[in-house]
């Protein structure tokens, strides 16, 4: 399934989100350089029935590294 998010915020706390599937961490996404928009594909797994996809705001706790200039999120 394709999921599209619109309305990501502009503050440090509002533009990065953690994604969980059935209460298990599956990744994160950021809306900082996309004007509040994010789109990603997700595969539903497990038995038939209801499954939960949730998004939680996150905050960066580390500085960018020189080698690859990426930030590593920390679940808070």
């Amino acid at each position: 399934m394709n999921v599209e998010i619109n309305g990501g915020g502009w503050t440090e706390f509002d533009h990065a989100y953690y994604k969980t599937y059935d209460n298990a961490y599956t990744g994160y996404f950021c809306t900082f350089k996309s004007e509040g928009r994010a789109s990603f594909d997700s595969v539903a797994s497990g038995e038939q029935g209801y499954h939960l996809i949730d998004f939680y705001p996150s905050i960066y706790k580390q500085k960018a590294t020189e080698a690859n200039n990426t930030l590593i999120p920390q679940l808070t």
Side-chain angles (χ1 to χ4, degrees), residues 20-42:
T20 62
Y21 181 79
D22 287 343
N23 294 325
Y25 172 79
T26 58
Y28 73 98
F29 62 93
C30 183
T31 61
F32 182 69
K33 293 186 178 184
S34 62
E35 298 176 353
R37 295 185 207 117
S39 176
F40 56 89
D41 292 324
S42 186

Side-chain angles (χ1 to χ4, degrees), residues 2 4 12 17-20 23-25 28 35 42 46 48-49 69 72:
N2 184 281
E4 293 184 20
E12 181 181 10
Y17 298 90
Y18 291 109
K19 178 180 168 252
T20 62
N23 294 325
Y25 172 79
Y28 73 98
E35 298 176 353
S42 186
Q48 290 184 348
N69 199 28
I72 301 170

